Every structure is written in structure tokens, then in C-alpha cells.
Amino acid sequence: MLVKRGIAVSPGVAIGPALVLGAESFRIPQRFVSIDAVDAEVARFRQAQETVCLDIEGNERLTAERLGQHYAAIFSAHLMMLRDERMLEEIESLIRQKSFSPEFAVSRVLRQYARKFQTLGGPYLAERAADLYDLEKRMLRQLLGERREELRHLTVPVVVLAHNLTPSETAGLDRKMVLGFVTEAGGATSHTAILAGALEIPAIVGIGQFLDNVTGGETVIIDGSHGSVIVDPDDETLAKFQVSRERFKTAGQRLEAMRQLPSETADHIPIKLLGNIEFPQEAESTRQRGAVGIGLYRTEFLYLQENREPTEEDHYQAYRTVLEAFPHEPVIIRTLDLGADKMPGPLRTEYPEGVNPALSIRSIRLSLQHLELFKTQLRAVLRAAVHGEVRVMFPLITTLLEFRQAKMILSDVAEDLEEQGIPFRRDIPVGIMVEVPSAALLAEEFAREVDFFSIGTNDLIQYTLAVDRADPHVSSLYRAGDPSILKLLRMVITAALKHDVPVSICGQMCSDPLFVPLLIGMGYRTISVTPQVIPELKEIIRNLTIARAEQIAARAEAMETARDVESYLRGELRKICPEQVS
Ligand code: PEP
Ligand code: MG
């Protein structure tokens, strides 16, 4: 069972066989062949292998003539691999003994070898892995020939796993045949994401390199509400998600009624639900889902989408789009959170992967080292602020000096705009993300200087528990319910209330229904969430009293392990909103 996480862009649960579209959109149409066709299929495989070898020999000759023997050796290596009798026998025996189709068997064996090379590490072996993927493509191209199928001609329902889908491919998806989709890439996703939402197809984007692990035909679960993909689920997981899928369908009708109702507890205490967005085009649908502002606009996607440095005008236009959807409500623009897993091409060469990129030049650290880049963004923020209730937020703040430095640069930018006679707004609130344990531990000190806090639990959990948030090997250790996390959340709310500093949470923890009663009970009154979950969360909030939430928080905070906390919270959620507990 393989579990991956990405950006949830369209909610719902999809379960079905994988249709894999690599960069070249290959699809393996058939995993198995009938027993009496085995001999013919083995012959077809051997024939394809011979043709591909001849083709490579041709390339080898041509390259030797034009560039010399040294370059031609690349193809000699490919030939050696594709003529490796042990590997060929492995493929043949999968066709004979398991009735695998040649396409499926080739893909499976070559990818297995490639993965082995990759895990051994080192640049030489990584290149060999790349050679194997290349060979796989050549073989599939040969084997599939005319039979390569197109997305538009699907005859059975599938879950599409693609390197990327263009907006026009997405718009053309057949909703009856495409149960859901996942893309590796984050590029061009603004339109793809919006279209997925509009089509109401569960979808996840920006999942990172992933297709090497799937061949096609495997059972895949997409949880479009929470951004996870599961390949080859075990029976227990499959059963769990089958229930969630049905529940999602009926919940949709029930939750529709929530849209118009205020977000307040049963005893009428308002709880502000803001939205987290990555692309400006999402702002309007976020408002329609019931958000009363934007609690986190992840502006770094402006870079990641285009893979080029956005101009001041690009920033400004993006912010204007968000402010058009929310002209009178708070819009928190987070300055660039580049680095770690979000390093755009041009900067990647300047900062080759560090020993540990999550602890290296990232986020505000990167902005403070690239003042021109930082100032360009801040100028656009201050200019856009004329049109709404803009707040600016610095990510990954670790020390007070860092915050002071960032704030000073903001004043420099304001001075420049003033001198140039460009309209802007100076008095915007300036806050920080609390996502490094040091900031939570120093919440008292920060509270004297910042205009607001927003807690980024995604990173706070990663840095507190020393668990890489993207690493599936340690995902079971990544627990929002860990008592250490609850202690940090308690420290921040205590400092915020004492100094009368507005505080919210924008990490995924508060998009998870499980933790909402606890957070309200701790005193949090504003949460910024994945827009799609707003109706669900509103339902929980409206079924809860503050007194009940406070009892829940007191009990949970007295517990010693994440497991106890989470199972207690699950029990409580079942009482508050039985429909929402799987
Ligand atoms: C967080 O760390 O919780 C957060 C909201 O920021 P991001 O997920 O963008 O790192
Ligand atoms: Mg973060």
C-alpha cells in the first residue's frame, strides 16, 4: 500500500483502477491476457524487444558517425540492458505464469529494476534508472503501437494518474468514465484545479514524482477532501474509503443547507472560517463556499506555476483578483515560502539541495537573502492594500530579529513608494506564522511586537516531532494530536489572549473535523481551512457549545499520547456529528 499526499483541489472520494498517463500519455489498456493467448503474447514481446534493439543499434551507429564513439556508448549501455537475458526471462515468466500482458510485464520489471538503482543512490545509478525508464517508454511505444488509447475514448471507469493534465484535457474529461484524477505536477494547475472543482471530480495536484511507482490497473483511492492518494489499498483501508465515498455523496445534500447559515456555536459564539488558497482564481469559489476572508494566501505558487520570477505587476494583479472576491474582509497575504520542496528552477541552481532543505534556506530566510525579490512582492502588497483589508504575514519566523528585519524592509518599501508618489496603504497589520517551535515558545515576546499570529501546524508538527511532513516512511509519527503540539498551541493562545493579539490557525490540523472541537475549546475563534471543508466544519461548530468544547479541550490536554488524544476526539466527534465519523 502506497500513500502520497498532494494539494486537494476537488473534494470527494474516488476508487477505481489506475489509468497511468506519463509525460507521453501511455496507457496500458490491459493487465492480463487469456491463457491460450500466452504463446502469441510472448512472441509479440520478443518481437517488440528485437525491433527496439534494432532501433537502438541504428541510433548507436548514427551517433558514432556524428559525435564519436564516446557518445554512442550511451546506446551500447541501453542495448546491453535490453538484451539482458535474465531480465527478459523475468518478463517472459510473468507473461507465462501470471498471464500478464507484455505491456504490464515490461513496465513492471523495468520499473522494479529502475527503483532498485534509485534506492542504491549516487549519480551513476540514478542515470541507469533513467535509462531503464527510457527503455520502458520505447518498449511501450513499440508494443502499444496503434493501440495507444486516448483519454477521450474510455470505455470503463478509471482513476487517472497523470504527470500533468492541460486545462483542455481536464475540461474534456468524461465525468462518467473519469472517477477522479491525480497529477504529479503543480504547473498550470490553477485552471486544472478550478476545472476539477467545477466538474466535481475528486482531484489532487502537485503530488510530486509518483508515476514511477504505478503501472496501471492497480486499485487507487483518491481522497480529494484531504489530499491523499492510496495505491493498492489493503482490505481494511478499501472498506473504510468505500464508506467515506457513500457518506460524501449523502453529506453533500445535507451540507448544502449549511452554506447560508452563520458559523456560530450552538450558544451563538461566532467562529470565523477563513479560506486557504494557492491561486488567486480560487478566491471567488472560496467565498461561495462560505469563507469570510482569506486566512492564508500561499503566494509562492505564483513562482512555481510559471517557473519564472513574477514581476511586481504579476503580484499586484494576483492580489487584486483575490481582493475582488473579498473587498471588505481580511485577506492575509503570506510572503514567499520558497525553498525546501518548493524551490523554483532558477533558484535551484543557486541553492543546490542542502543537507536538509527543510532546515536550510527557506521561506523568510530566502526572502531576506534576496531583497530585490522580497521588495518586489512587498511593493505589490502595499499597493494592493488600497483596495481592501490586506494583512501581510511572514512565514517560518524563528527569531525576533528576523521579524524586526522583515518589518524594517516593509517600511523601506513604503518609503520608496511614498517618494515615487505611488498610491499605497502603510498601516496594514503585520503578522507572523507560528510554525517553528521557537516562535511558539517565545509567543509572549512576539506578542508584544506582532499584529497577529497564524499557526502553521503543518510545519509546527514537522519541526516539533522531527518528522518530515512529506516522508511516507515516518507518516505514522506525524501526529497533530501529540501532547507536545497541544502544549505549544496552548502557549500561543495564552500569550495572544494576554496581549490581545488576534490569533488564528491555518495549518491542515484545523481542516480536520476531528480537531475542531478541541481548538475551539482551547479558545481559538478563527481558523483558516481548505475551502472545500467549510460546510462540514460549520456543521460541527453549530452542533457544539463552548462549555462542551472547553471540557473536551481540558480532557484532551491532560492526556499523554497522540493515540489517546485522537481516539478520545474521535469518540467526541461521533457524539457531536455522527455523520462525519468513519
Ligand atoms: C503550515 O506550515 O502549517 C502552513 C500553513 O504552511 P505551508 O503548509 O504552506 O507550509
Ligand atoms: Mg508552513
Side-chain angles (χ1 to χ4, degrees):
M1 188 160 98
L2 169 76
V3 184
K4 285 277 284 182
R5 291 189 76 85
I7 306 168
V9 292
S10 185
V13 174
I15 305 172
L19 183 161
V20 180
L21 300 174
E24 284 192 72
S25 299
F26 281 119
R27 182 201 168 190
I28 296 175
Q30 197 183 349
R31 278 178 93 181
F32 299 102
V33 293
S34 64
I35 295 193
D36 38 329
V38 158
D39 282 339
E41 291 296 303
V42 168
R44 193 163 70 84
F45 156 63
R46 287 286 179 175
Q47 178 66 48
Q49 180 259 347
E50 225 8 80
T51 312
V52 173
C53 284
L54 286 175
D55 194 31
I56 299 174
E57 273 172 4
N59 286 342
E60 188 185 22
R61 260 195 315 278
L62 202 70
T63 312
E65 278 162 29
R66 289 192 182 156
L67 300 169
Q69 204 53 48
H70 179 67
Y71 289 94
I74 301 168
F75 295 104
S76 321
H78 281 197
L79 273 177
M80 247 168 64
M81 286 183 191
L82 199 55
R83 288 201 168 127
D84 183 296
E85 207 40 52
R86 252 190 45 201
M87 189 175 79
L88 297 176
E89 273 163 21
E90 234 176 280
I91 297 171
E92 198 173 312
S93 86
L94 284 179
I95 305 173
R96 286 197 185 286
Q97 279 154 33
K98 298 202 167 174
S99 303
F100 279 8
S101 68
E103 291 87 350
F104 189 44
V106 162
S107 188
R108 190 148 197 151
V109 171
L110 290 183
R111 284 176 183 219
Q112 256 164 18
Y113 275 82
R115 272 201 296 276
K116 269 186 206 148
F117 281 135
Q118 271 169 332
T119 48
L120 290 172
Y124 177 78
L125 292 176
E127 274 172 36
R128 298 294 75 75
D131 288 343
L132 282 158
Y133 287 125
D134 194 21
L135 283 178
E136 183 212 8
K137 278 206 188 101
R138 280 169 175 267
M139 282 294 291
L140 288 179
R141 208 176 291 136
Q142 185 60 35
L143 282 165
L144 292 168
E146 291 302 304
R147 305 192 319 156
R148 195 169 130 182
E149 289 188 31
E150 297 240 350
L151 211 45
R152 276 173 282 142
H153 302 134
L154 294 168
T155 49
V156 285
V158 290
V159 168
V160 174
L161 309 179
H163 174 67
N164 204 0
L165 287 178
T166 63
S168 57
E169 278 173 327
T170 312
L173 291 178
D174 178 350
R175 287 174 57 183
K176 284 196 214 77
M177 292 301 165
V178 177
L179 304 168
F181 74 79
V182 181
T183 61
E184 285 186 323
T189 42
S190 60
H191 297 113
T192 303
I194 290 161
L195 289 166
L199 292 167
E200 299 191 6
I201 296 176
I204 297 168
V205 300
I207 199 139
Q209 203 180 352
F210 169 63
L211 297 182
D212 299 346
N213 301 306
V214 273
T215 312
E218 296 96 331
T219 299
V220 175
I221 300 172
I222 297 182
D223 180 353
S225 309
H226 302 99
S228 54
V229 184
I230 302 162
V231 181
D232 277 334
D234 56 31
D235 291 346
E236 195 187 333
T237 308
L238 187 61
K240 189 178 118 191
F241 277 95
Q242 277 162 342
V243 173
S244 321
R245 183 177 54 184
E246 291 318 304
R247 185 168 293 143
F248 183 81
K249 281 187 200 151
T250 41
Q253 294 141 12
R254 194 185 74 245
L255 293 173
E256 190 52 39
M258 285 290 144
R259 275 179 205 259
Q260 310 305 331
L261 299 174
S263 170
E264 58 177 34
T265 56
D267 47 347
H268 307 297
I269 302 298
I271 305 295
K272 265 200 196 133
L273 288 173
L274 307 175
N276 293 350
I277 58 168
E278 284 78 33
F279 307 104
Q281 295 86 340
E282 287 175 275
E284 181 52 36
S285 58
T286 301
R287 192 181 62 76
Q288 284 169 17
R289 288 195 155 101
V292 292
I294 295 296
L296 170 65
Y297 173 17
R298 292 178 162 106
T299 58
E300 59 278 6
F301 281 88
L302 273 177
Y303 278 69
L304 299 169
Q305 221 180 348
E306 302 277 338
N307 218 3
R308 71 171 170 90
E309 214 175 287
T311 61
E312 182 180 323
E313 201 52 27
D314 293 333
H315 280 288
Y316 177 74
Q317 290 305 337
Y319 306 156
R320 286 296 308 268
T321 305
V322 178
L323 291 167
E324 269 161 28
F326 291 99
H328 310 296
E329 298 84 0
V331 170
I332 300 182
I333 300 177
R334 176 176 78 178
T335 62
L336 301 167
D337 186 22
L338 293 169
D341 56 337
K342 292 187 284 196
M343 192 65 101
L347 286 168
R348 217 174 290 143
T349 38
E350 193 173 332
Y351 300 107
E353 211 161 272
V355 175
N356 184 339
L359 301 179
S360 186
I361 301 298
R362 191 198 146 179
S363 225
I364 193 69
R365 301 172 187 177
L366 191 136
S367 294
L368 292 175
Q369 283 197 6
H370 286 262
L371 289 187
E372 280 320 303
L373 182 140
F374 193 32
K375 285 183 172 180
T376 301
Q377 172 167 41
L378 293 177
R379 281 174 67 94
V381 172
L382 292 182
R383 283 175 52 208
V386 172
H387 306 283
E389 294 305 311
V390 169
R391 281 130 216 227
V392 67
M393 173 160 78
F394 301 128
L396 209 84
I397 291 286
T398 310
T399 67
L400 267 164
L401 284 181
E402 225 167 26
F403 173 68
R404 289 175 192 156
Q405 201 184 343
K407 214 176 152 181
M408 212 145 66
I409 291 158
L410 186 67
S411 339
D412 290 350
V413 167
E415 294 310 318
D416 293 345
L417 288 169
E418 178 101 67
E419 268 171 34
Q420 291 159 2
I422 297 172
F424 74 101
R425 186 162 162 188
R426 187 188 289 271
D427 61 339
I428 64 169
V430 184
I432 63 163
M433 289 200 67
V434 178
E435 52 182 348
V436 179
S438 67
L441 293 165
L442 292 177
E444 276 273 333
E445 287 74 4
F446 275 106
R448 294 191 198 104
E449 300 194 24
V450 303
D451 294 325
F452 65 91
F453 288 128
S454 182
I455 306 178
T457 49
N458 304 343
D459 277 311
L460 189 62
I461 297 167
Q462 143 163 293
Y463 291 125
T464 305
L465 300 178
V467 176
D468 189 320
R469 60 194 262 194
D471 184 349
H473 301 104
V474 283
S475 59
S476 61
L477 302 174
Y478 185 94
R479 305 289 282 266
D482 195 89
S484 60
I485 304 301
L486 305 197
K487 279 205 161 70
L488 293 174
L489 290 174
R490 172 57 68 190
M491 291 180 85
V492 180
I493 188 91
T494 305
L497 291 174
K498 181 168 158 196
H499 293 271
D500 206 14
V501 173
V503 61
S504 61
I505 302 181
C506 63
Q508 279 305 115
M509 181 179 184
C510 62
S511 293
D512 185 340
L514 197 63
F515 296 105
V516 169
L518 162 77
L519 298 173
I520 293 175
M522 289 178 103
Y524 289 94
R525 297 289 178 263
T526 305
I527 55 180
S528 189
V529 302
T530 306
Q532 289 87 338
V533 303
I534 288 175
E536 272 175 81
L537 301 190
K538 216 188 252 186
E539 186 179 46
I540 295 167
I541 291 164
R542 292 179 59 83
N543 282 357
L544 187 70
T545 61
I546 292 292
R548 182 79 197 105
E550 283 173 353
Q551 277 168 4
I552 291 173
R555 277 282 296 277
E557 284 182 86
M559 290 177 174
E560 290 175 347
T561 67
R563 202 183 50 187
D564 290 347
V565 170
E566 289 168 14
S567 86
Y568 167 66
L569 292 179
R570 198 161 294 113
E572 290 305 305
L573 184 60
R574 190 169 286 121
K575 291 181 214 159
I576 300 163
C577 248
E579 299 85 354
Q580 290 201 22
V581 185
S582 28

